[in-house]
Amino acid sequence: MKVFSGIQPTGSLHLGNYLGAIKQWIELQEEHDCLFCIVDLHALTSDYNPEELPESIVNKVAAYLAAGVNPQQSTIFVQSQVKEHAELAWLLSTVTPVGELERMTQYKKKSKKQKSVNAGLLNYPVLMAADILLYKSELVPVGEDQQQHLELTRTIARKFNNKFGNTFPEPEAKTTEQGARIMSLQEPTNKMSKSDGEESYVSLFDSPEEIKEKIMSAQTDSGREIKYDEKEKPGISNLINIYSLFSDKEVSQVEQEFNGGYQEFKKALAELVIQELEPFRQKKDELSKNQINEILEEGRKEAEQRAQDTMKEIKEKMGLPY
Ligand code: AQP
């Protein structure tokens, strides 16, 4: 199957990004044709620092590689280096209903945070549809928060196919049962998010001291019992979930293993996360900028070739000269 997924370069990669998206990529690349993208054009819709962006892109590629994405198996590239993404986004915007864009949860949430809302924020899901459809992708591994955008991508594909003839498959979202929604350490009823305060997420490259401090000060609920109950005990349930995902133990097993109260459990979780993330830190330090640039250049060539093939077909169908 053709698989596409992307992550924005700005901010830190956190446990939510890893457990929701990247961990799936590593499994999928064993058997499928995978493209993994740094979606830098998406990052422009929020406040960002142009001077820091190039470094953030290199850091994200290093993070992909350190977490186990293998450039021998997967194509890794930067969105803005394949200009067909922006071109296709424009073409797809002509079949996308504005009403659908306005009802997107992410748009509603993020537009509240901006004084003057930019059109890019509204059109974000059209660019995301272009990213996916440009490669005729069939499967998109994402966290739960992106499912609504995926549903809109399917609608856009359907509308295009109806108007111009069968061109795009309708891609499916792939979420994991447990990792799909990792919650904030400080407000466990909200998802873990890089745009919240640093104490609300663990970054993949936090130092052991930082990891320990963040987990020990994570919000928990009243009581002391280690019991999974999303409604009554969202804080401890989130931590149990993270423990279960990193240890490969069932939730019930984790509940049974810990009966000494929250502090003891948090300490064990901090140790586990530090231990599991240690190889990522080491591998990232070993990667050179040259290695990363070579991987990106290979990725760009491969993605560009495929993108041009699709654009040729689309333009012909739309009556545009190629
Ligand atoms: N908390 C989460 N739990 C599970 N999966 C998550 N993802 C993000 N947060 C969680 C998944 O990670 C992938 C890439 O996300 P992104 O960084 O490109 O954008 P995002 O979803 O907007 O991530 P953030 O951290 O929440 O960013 P801001 O703060 O800018 O909104 C996606 O597959 C996403 O589902």
Side-chain angles (χ1 to χ4, degrees):
M1 268 206 209
K2 288 187 185 145
V3 176
F4 180 93
S5 195
I7 291 189
Q8 297 185 45
T10 44
S12 301
L13 268 191
H14 52 68
L15 292 187
N17 299 138
Y18 175 65
L19 296 170
I22 298 178
K23 203 161 172 241
Q24 300 196 69
W25 301 0
I26 291 152
E27 288 158 18
L28 286 167
Q29 69 181 355
E30 296 296 328
E31 287 187 18
H32 299 281
D33 173 11
C34 295
L35 289 112
F36 298 126
C37 186
I38 310 287
V39 290
D40 53 349
L41 296 176
H42 283 280
L44 312 186
T45 59
S46 300
D47 265 350
Y48 76 101
N49 182 342
E51 281 171 21
E52 287 172 7
L53 193 55
E55 188 74 23
S56 307
I57 293 173
V58 171
N59 278 339
K60 283 299 171 302
V61 181
Y64 285 10
L65 299 169
V69 180
N70 181 351
Q72 310 298 333
Q73 293 172 306
S74 304
T75 302
I76 305 171
F77 70 105
V78 180
Q79 183 188 32
S80 65
Q81 290 193 314
V82 180
K83 62 181 177 6
E84 285 77 9
H85 286 250
E87 192 179 7
L88 181 57
W90 173 257
L91 301 182
L92 294 180
S93 75
T94 63
V95 297
T96 306
V98 174
E100 294 273 343
L101 295 173
E102 283 170 337
R103 71 176 187 83
M104 291 292 112
T105 309
Q106 181 175 294
Y107 170 69
K108 286 196 221 161
K109 263 195 187 159
K110 290 199 170 174
S111 57
K112 270 189 203 144
K113 293 184 191 164
Q114 294 188 352
K115 261 196 206 140
S116 154
V117 181
N118 67 71
L121 198 63
L122 181 69
N123 291 324
Y124 187 111
V126 187
L127 180 58
M128 181 166 156
D131 299 337
I132 296 165
L133 298 178
L134 192 52
Y135 304 99
K136 300 198 176 186
S137 315
E138 296 152 288
L139 203 63
V140 185
V142 281
E144 198 183 78
D145 59 324
Q146 292 297 332
Q147 273 191 342
Q148 195 185 33
H149 288 166
L150 236 289
E151 200 44 57
L152 182 53
T153 299
R154 292 164 60 82
T155 305
I156 294 172
R158 210 174 310 128
K159 282 187 180 292
F160 186 97
N161 290 344
N162 287 341
K163 198 164 175 184
F164 300 106
N166 209 10
T167 311
F168 301 119
E170 287 183 34
E172 301 275 347
K174 186 175 181 303
T175 49
T176 57
E177 207 182 308
Q178 273 185 295
R181 199 165 160 81
I182 302 298
M183 309 309 277
S184 156
L185 297 179
Q186 289 304 318
E187 284 182 59
T189 48
N190 294 340
K191 72 159 195 156
M192 185 176 279
S193 181
K194 65 178 175 298
S195 48
D196 291 337
E198 276 187 24
E199 66 288 355
S200 68
Y201 61 82
V202 170
S203 143
L204 293 194
F205 302 105
D206 275 345
S207 68
E209 295 72 31
E210 286 168 320
I211 297 174
K212 193 163 179 202
E213 201 182 315
K214 288 179 183 181
I215 291 181
M216 294 309 288
S217 56
Q219 287 296 320
T220 37
D221 326 277
S222 56
R224 64 191 297 280
E225 200 189 353
I226 309 300
K227 179 148 182 40
Y228 192 93
D229 181 339
E230 262 176 53
K231 275 217 170 90
E232 299 297 324
K233 289 159 102 46
I236 205 70
S237 299
N238 187 39
L239 301 184
I240 294 175
N241 197 23
I242 296 172
Y243 193 100
S244 159
L245 284 161
F246 274 115
S247 64
D248 281 329
K249 289 181 182 168
E250 297 287 330
V251 165
S252 57
Q253 232 180 315
V254 181
E255 288 174 334
Q256 274 171 18
E257 205 172 298
F258 294 96
N259 49 22
Y262 290 166
Q263 288 304 97
E264 183 210 349
F265 173 61
K266 282 177 166 178
K267 221 171 135 210
L269 175 63
E271 276 163 20
L272 177 66
V273 173
I274 290 168
Q275 180 194 315
E276 291 293 311
L277 296 185
E278 181 57 35
F280 296 4
R281 275 193 299 276
Q282 272 180 16
K283 197 156 173 214
K284 187 166 179 255
D285 290 342
E286 288 163 13
L287 289 161
S288 73
K289 220 170 176 171
N290 275 351
Q291 267 175 306
I292 291 174
N293 285 335
E294 272 172 32
I295 289 168
L296 286 180
E297 182 52 19
E298 279 302 305
R300 183 190 63 76
K301 281 191 210 147
E302 169 70 24
E304 198 170 58
Q305 186 56 54
R306 293 191 190 199
Q308 286 174 354
D309 290 347
T310 313
M311 278 312 288
K312 188 165 185 285
E313 180 189 346
I314 294 168
K315 283 184 147 182
E316 269 169 16
K317 287 186 168 157
M318 294 183 85
L320 297 165
Y322 187 74

